[in-house]
Amino acid sequence: MTVAIKDCRTEYLVNPLGLDKQRPRLFWRVESDQPGMLQSAYQIQAASSEALLAAGTADKWDSGKVEQGHSIQIPYAGVSLRSEETCFWRVRIWDQDGVQSRWSETARWTMGLLERASYKGKWIGPKPDFIEGEEQPEAEESGAIVTEKAERVQRRPTYLRKEFALDGKIKRAYAHATALGVYELHMNGERVGQQYFAPGFTDYHVRVQVQMYDVTALLGEGANVVGAIIGDGWYAGTVGFLGDKVYGERPFFLLQLNVEYEDGRRASIITDSSWSAGSGALLYSDFIKGEAYDATLEPEGWSQAGCTTGAWTEPDVRPGYNGLLCATLEPPIVVTKTIRPISITQTANGTYIYDMGQNMVGWTSLTVSGARGTTVTLSHAEMLNPDGTLYLDNLRVAVQQNHFTLKGGDVETYEPHFTFHGFRYVELIGFPGEPDLDTIIGKVVHSETPERGWLETSSTMVNQLYSNITWGQRGNFLSVPTDCPQRDERLGWTGDAQIFARTAAYNMDVSTFFSKFVQDMMDCQQPSGAFTDVAPDAGWIRYKNWSTRLNWYAPDNAGWGDAGVIIPWTLYVMYGDVQILETRYDAMVRWVEYLLAATDNLIRPDYANYGDWLSIDADTPNEVLATAYFAYSTKLLAQIAAVLGKQADAQRYSELFAGISAAFTSKFVSPEGRIHGETQTVYVLALQFGLLPEDFQLLALKHLVADIEARGNRLTTGFLGVGYLLPALADHGRSDIAYKLLEQEAFPSWLYSIKQGATTIWERWDGWTEENGFQTPSMNSFNHYSLGSVGEWMFRYMAGIEADSTDPAFRHHIIKPQPGGTIRHVKAHYCSLYGRVSVEWRLDDQGSFLLSLDLPANTTADVYLPGSVAPVRRGSGEHNFVVNSQSNGFKDGSI
């Protein structure tokens, strides 16, 4: 037998820098070739150096032998660490027979700056007169293009630099950087790190994230330079349709570079008035308005010692910042894929339109050579008009264009700095010469959330649906879960996120991504207890108040504010994160109590102004939807209280849920089981949230199925109902109807858009139809994720990979595949924190069901076979099952 400890992590991360938790959580994964292997105990050792740890001297912590099977979410309980201190750790385990493993490879984490007083730098940026519109004619003179849609001349990003000397051999050097805005960090001519749009999108009135970099290898004895380019970003740039300068007038940058010499001396380089500020090739760069870059204005060598180019002045120094400086919680935004175009077409105007073959988010890299002063424009769009031109109407006031002015001479390459686009098609304008398929390359950009799930079926259409779901997630998980990546919105809508959260967690590792988004929601929670519709709020509350004349405003919105409970619960189920339940518990209680205070006999009033957003041919009554979600948040809060050992609260909220359910039935359900509104969504929510007595469940199911069948097996659900539609059917014995909806190709359906060539999930079912063409351009994104929440059903029900909430994070699996429809074969895997579980099932020519299952070490599963009621318990390893079509009541295509 061999047992190995793999993938040691701290706070979900591999060897992270810049933590600010004194009790970070530790994770590891067990691998073993012994079937049924279980961890029975562990021992963790932590030390101040790798050498001490190797010698067995655990001067920071020795847990001793702990009798426990969990290998995730283990809190460090050793000596408190200082700022910038590194802690090295290792772990070994014992199996169920008491056999001890070898020690794991050494892992580590490094603390950031732990106290506000440790930050010695000043916030520096452009002076007010450095960014005024009247200075911008310089941009026009240099050949930059200001588009007609730009409502104002864009401000120029600021270049900052500091030259300094180091007088000894360097042992280590850490840079702590952040911005009110966005920044790129440079050092001695090199860009530091691979991430974009740092420090990420937060509510800057409350907090800003600090990034920590190990820059030891970039520094040397003698002259050195540290520099930064800062842009407006979310702080001072355009934020959706909320306008610009939402948080501040102009960007600022903060840096502290701490150097430790080999001889023990220390030095710090900080941002202050001794730095130099100037402008460069970036004429403007804005998330919504695009970018213009003039290479003739590049201050060559600006981040290297001895630079003599450019006009440099003293920066403005901001008096201070009252928000929190916190460790970076979210994953970095990085380039995750490159895509080459599949075709190029010359237009009648002499421009060239590329088809990338995939609707994507990021930008295009351009390779070009030509005369100095030539400007090339890259224009991006998701769709084409019938005449072959770019479809731009759905961008509203967004400008998905980048302009590059050549400096001339050698071959030049260009990528934007502080903007991104949603597109499949790219128009190349003003290109000198004849471009080819190598002229541009698509760069796919999103928060670094590695793939964790995969699914394949015998249906090519369903496989494309799964691909579209994952691409929709890639395109919209960028610091926050945005609602679209192309038009002037790109906000963190909470309702969109909560309905998709479980699907997202099956597809990719969203542990830190959603942990940060939960923090955003908490930062925006109102004194009343209400959660905002978007997070970070970015002035949305003020916008809603302004919109009262449009009758949009409500204190909360059902299904959106409930994300403050649903997403933490999802993180618990998928990752075993008890800490997020503990730290957010009071906020969740405030939310439910806020809802309760505004009820009439436990019925929520018309606080659901978005309703079942973008439902099709159905209008779910707001009070039904609001009361259903009120009940669901209460139900989850009761479960959360039980997990945390708060038994009195668990009982109180369980009783409250029962009261809401009874009020719901009394108010909205007829004796015949018809629910007020009679939409698919009212039945789905009532069934899935457990609001109905048992006798009414069968009646509601009958009415739901009747509505679906009367429409030719078509759905009508919008954002809030769609994710629960197929689970509600499957949980109540109608997987046959669920598969009919899944495989439906007629409008409206998931596969209809695929028949029209979609490579991502559309915002609306009718974004484009054969009868009517494009829907209203005011809200018609072709890259959204919410309607892709069917991905959860594909993993949990079709493939049958389910987590047990009583032993979460897939330490114990529920394996319950439900075959159906025309699908004859499904393969899927999911890589949990405990390891990879793989499921493959197929129906043979005789209709027998064959299941192959591979469970990771230190896990178990209850396996439910078609036609059976009682599960079969299995441990780790490979398992195979055959269910003959003539036995156990199993029939081909049904359960």
Side-chain angles (χ1 to χ4, degrees):
M1 183 194 74
T2 60
V3 173
I5 312 300
K6 300 287 187 180
D7 199 23
C8 290
R9 293 172 176 259
T10 307
E11 287 297 317
Y12 297 108
L13 306 173
V14 177
N15 300 334
L17 288 172
L19 297 188
D20 59 6
K21 290 183 177 180
Q22 283 289 3
R23 298 290 181 261
R25 296 162 295 175
L26 309 180
F27 304 72
W28 62 89
R29 181 168 47 82
V30 181
E31 291 185 356
S32 175
D33 58 6
Q34 177 191 13
M37 184 271 167
L38 291 172
Q39 172 187 303
S40 64
Y42 68 80
Q43 181 183 9
I44 299 171
Q45 289 186 339
S48 55
S49 73
E50 197 164 5
L52 284 175
L53 194 62
T57 304
D59 62 331
K60 293 299 182 184
W61 182 41
D62 191 329
S63 70
K65 186 177 180 180
V66 179
E67 305 286 343
Q68 189 181 102
H70 296 103
S71 64
I72 67 169
Q73 307 283 355
I74 308 299
Y76 169 75
V79 176
S80 295
L81 304 181
R82 303 182 308 274
S83 292
E84 296 190 333
E85 186 174 5
T86 298
C87 186
F88 300 86
W89 68 279
R90 64 182 183 177
V91 62
R92 63 182 176 185
I93 69 160
W94 287 261
D95 70 7
Q96 71 272 27
D97 298 320
V99 178
Q100 177 184 290
S101 75
R102 294 181 178 179
W103 288 106
S104 68
E105 295 293 325
T106 300
R108 66 183 183 275
W109 78 87
T110 302
M111 304 300 288
L113 299 180
L114 301 180
E115 298 176 354
R116 188 60 174 263
S118 298
Y119 288 91
K120 305 300 183 183
K122 306 293 185 182
W123 292 89
I124 63 172
K127 292 184 180 296
D129 62 354
F130 197 73
I131 59 173
E132 293 301 323
E134 58 264 29
E135 293 199 5
Q136 293 300 324
E138 179 184 350
E140 296 180 2
E141 293 170 5
S142 66
I145 298 173
V146 179
T147 65
E148 293 180 0
K149 281 190 176 182
E151 296 177 357
R152 62 177 177 84
V153 178
Q154 304 295 310
R155 63 170 59 88
R156 296 180 69 168
T158 301
Y159 288 62
L160 300 166
R161 70 187 305 273
K162 168 72 174 180
E163 191 162 342
F164 60 95
L166 297 175
D167 61 356
K169 292 185 177 180
I170 301 165
K171 181 179 180 180
R172 66 174 62 90
Y174 294 125
H176 307 267
T178 189
L180 301 175
V182 288
Y183 73 90
E184 285 182 9
L185 183 62
H186 293 253
M187 204 162 290
N188 291 329
E190 300 287 337
R191 191 179 188 276
V192 180
Q194 303 298 316
Q195 70 185 95
Y196 293 87
F197 311 149
F201 189 11
T202 57
D203 188 334
Y204 298 99
H205 295 318
V206 178
R207 75 183 64 240
V208 66
Q209 300 178 117
V210 179
Q211 288 73 50
M212 181 177 177
Y213 306 91
D214 186 340
V215 295
T216 308
L218 296 177
L219 299 175
E221 289 189 73
N224 292 270
V225 170
V226 59
I229 307 173
I230 57 172
D232 291 345
W234 293 281
Y235 180 78
T238 311
V239 181
F241 48 69
L242 303 175
D244 67 338
K245 303 178 183 178
V246 169
Y247 291 101
E249 293 289 324
R250 50 204 163 98
F252 286 87
F253 178 65
L254 177 71
L255 176 127
Q256 183 160 323
L257 171 58
N258 291 333
V259 178
E260 181 182 356
Y261 293 104
E262 291 282 2
D263 60 11
R265 291 180 298 126
R266 296 175 181 271
S268 293
I269 293 87
I270 61 173
T271 43
D272 57 21
S273 60
S274 68
W275 283 53
S276 298
S279 59
L282 275 169
L283 306 179
Y284 64 84
S285 192
D286 184 271
F287 286 139
I288 302 296
K289 303 295 186 178
E291 178 174 300
Y293 186 96
D294 188 342
T296 67
L297 301 177
E298 288 178 345
E300 294 189 12
W302 72 275
S303 64
Q304 295 175 297
C307 172
T308 59
T309 60
W312 301 93
T313 63
E314 183 179 314
D316 193 28
V317 178
R318 178 187 171 112
Y321 170 65
N322 292 327
L324 300 173
L325 297 176
C326 65
T328 300
L329 185 57
E330 68 180 82
I333 298 167
V334 296
V335 175
T336 61
K337 294 177 182 290
T338 58
I339 295 181
R340 294 188 175 272
I342 60 174
S343 68
I344 179 174
T345 304
Q346 187 171 16
T347 70
N349 296 327
T351 64
Y352 298 87
I353 292 182
Y354 288 87
D355 181 358
M356 305 303 296
Q358 173 65 54
N359 198 4
M360 56 174 283
V361 173
W363 53 74
T364 42
S365 172
L366 171 68
T367 301
V368 61
S369 60
R372 182 180 179 85
T374 301
T375 297
V376 179
T377 295
L378 295 148
S379 188
H380 305 78
E382 295 181 299
M383 301 283 275
L384 297 178
N385 289 309
D387 63 0
T389 59
L390 296 188
Y391 173 67
L392 303 174
D393 292 348
N394 68 332
L395 300 182
R396 300 196 299 218
V397 304
V399 182
Q400 293 204 125
Q401 290 187 339
N402 300 330
H403 311 287
F404 177 65
T405 300
L406 284 67
K407 62 183 174 183
D410 297 334
V411 174
E412 302 176 55
T413 59
Y414 163 72
E415 292 185 26
H417 295 72
F418 302 131
T419 193
F420 65 94
H421 312 298
F423 63 98
R424 173 173 175 170
Y425 300 97
V426 184
E427 185 170 14
L428 189 61
I429 305 167
F431 187 83
E434 186 173 344
D436 57 27
L437 292 176
D438 294 323
T439 300
I440 67 169
I441 298 174
K443 299 293 184 74
V444 179
V445 178
H446 60 91
S447 293
E448 191 174 36
T449 51
E451 295 177 9
R452 288 292 179 259
W454 173 84
L455 187 144
E456 181 181 82
T457 77
S458 57
S459 166
T460 56
M461 292 286 279
V462 172
N463 293 343
Q464 185 62 52
L465 171 61
Y466 176 66
S467 175
N468 290 10
I469 292 168
T470 59
W471 276 100
Q473 183 171 341
R474 288 189 190 99
N476 286 284
F477 277 36
L478 198 148
S479 190
V480 299
T482 64
D483 60 317
C484 57
Q486 72 299 102
R487 68 175 180 243
D488 60 331
E489 196 159 345
R490 314 185 197 187
L491 299 173
W493 287 93
T494 53
D496 306 31
Q498 64 87 1
I499 200 66
F500 189 75
R502 193 77 172 268
T503 297
Y506 273 109
N507 292 337
M508 301 176 191
D509 179 359
V510 293
S511 54
T512 58
F513 179 85
F514 270 128
S515 295
K516 183 265 184 182
F517 187 60
V518 169
Q519 179 67 72
D520 292 332
M521 286 189 284
M522 302 302 146
D523 287 345
C524 299
Q525 189 174 24
Q526 299 299 292
S528 64
F531 287 116
T532 56
D533 301 337
V534 299
D537 176 65
W540 175 246
I541 288 293
R542 294 191 301 274
Y543 183 86
K544 284 179 69 176
N545 278 315
W546 172 83
S547 299
T548 53
R549 58 184 178 177
L550 303 178
N551 199 29
W552 280 13
Y553 179 72
D556 63 88
N557 267 293
W560 272 258
D562 300 281
V565 178
I566 295 171
I567 295 179
W569 176 252
T570 301
L571 291 173
Y572 168 73
V573 171
M574 298 299 286
Y575 303 112
D577 192 344
V578 176
Q579 186 179 96
I580 203 163
L581 302 183
E582 293 172 337
T583 57
R584 311 308 178 195
Y585 183 76
D586 289 346
M588 292 186 278
V589 168
R590 289 175 57 213
W591 165 249
V592 170
E593 293 294 338
Y594 161 75
L595 296 179
L596 175 61
T599 61
D600 181 4
N601 293 320
L602 298 182
I603 298 298
R604 286 284 291 162
D606 190 8
Y607 286 163
N609 288 332
Y610 306 133
D612 186 23
W613 190 248
L614 297 182
S615 59
I616 193 86
D617 193 27
D619 188 10
T620 295
N622 288 350
E623 64 272 26
V624 177
L625 191 148
T627 303
Y629 264 95
F630 168 39
Y632 188 47
S633 279
T634 304
K635 180 180 183 179
L636 291 183
L637 184 57
Q639 294 176 246
I640 291 167
V643 169
L644 298 179
K646 299 177 183 292
Q647 297 307 322
D649 281 4
Q651 181 175 347
R652 176 174 185 269
Y653 290 115
S654 293
E655 292 173 354
L656 177 58
F657 170 72
I660 301 168
S661 299
F664 181 94
T665 301
S666 175
K667 177 75 173 179
F668 300 127
V669 185
S670 74
E672 296 78 27
R674 296 189 180 277
I675 301 177
H676 177 50
E678 298 194 55
T679 65
Q680 292 176 17
T681 292
V682 299
Y683 291 111
V684 164
L685 297 185
L687 288 168
Q688 200 64 8
F689 293 170
L691 303 180
L692 303 175
E694 187 173 348
D695 53 341
F696 278 109
Q697 292 177 25
L698 295 175
L699 294 173
L701 177 66
K702 182 185 73 172
H703 296 313
L704 171 62
V705 170
D707 185 88
I708 293 170
E709 291 180 334
R711 297 173 184 273
N713 294 314
R714 293 178 176 87
L715 49 72
T716 64
T717 47
F719 281 20
L720 296 186
V722 66
Y724 301 116
L725 175 58
L726 301 197
L729 289 164
D731 283 342
H732 292 84
R734 296 309 304 264
S735 284
D736 58 327
I737 301 298
Y739 272 97
K740 287 179 180 179
L741 290 171
L742 177 73
E743 297 187 274
Q744 175 64 259
E745 297 183 9
F747 172 80
S749 67
W750 285 288
L751 302 189
Y752 180 79
S753 64
I754 293 172
K755 289 182 66 178
Q756 315 312 316
T759 60
T760 46
I761 297 295
W762 292 355
E763 179 177 25
R764 41 197 325 153
W765 299 113
D766 57 350
W768 187 93
T769 62
E770 294 165 300
E771 293 78 13
N772 301 316
F774 290 112
Q775 242 283 5
T776 171
S778 63
M779 192 179 65
N780 197 23
S781 167
F782 292 95
N783 192 348
H784 206 291
Y785 57 77
S786 292
L787 298 181
S789 54
V790 66
E792 174 186 344
W793 178 87
M794 295 167 75
F795 274 100
R796 292 177 60 197
Y797 294 83
M798 185 169 68
I801 302 174
E802 170 70 296
D804 183 349
S805 63
T806 64
D807 196 356
F810 297 89
R811 183 167 180 258
H812 181 68
H813 305 77
I814 305 297
I815 304 298
K816 192 176 181 179
Q818 298 190 24
T822 66
I823 293 176
R824 310 292 296 180
H825 180 217
V826 171
K827 293 175 64 176
H829 69 248
Y830 175 68
C831 298
S832 76
L833 292 172
Y834 282 98
R836 172 170 155 163
V837 54
S838 298
V839 169
E840 179 177 1
W841 65 257
R842 62 186 177 89
L843 299 172
D844 66 15
D845 293 339
Q846 288 73 45
S848 294
F849 176 84
L850 293 82
L851 172 66
S852 296
L853 170 66
D854 192 0
L855 295 171
N858 200 31
T859 69
T860 56
D862 281 341
V863 183
Y864 292 82
L865 298 171
S868 67
V869 177
V872 179
R873 177 63 61 94
R874 288 291 184 267
S876 63
E878 296 182 7
H879 307 280
N880 295 288
F881 306 87
V882 177
V883 181
N884 189 282
S885 61
Q886 303 304 315
S887 65
N888 295 332
F890 173 68
K891 297 180 180 180
D892 189 11
S894 65
I895 296 178

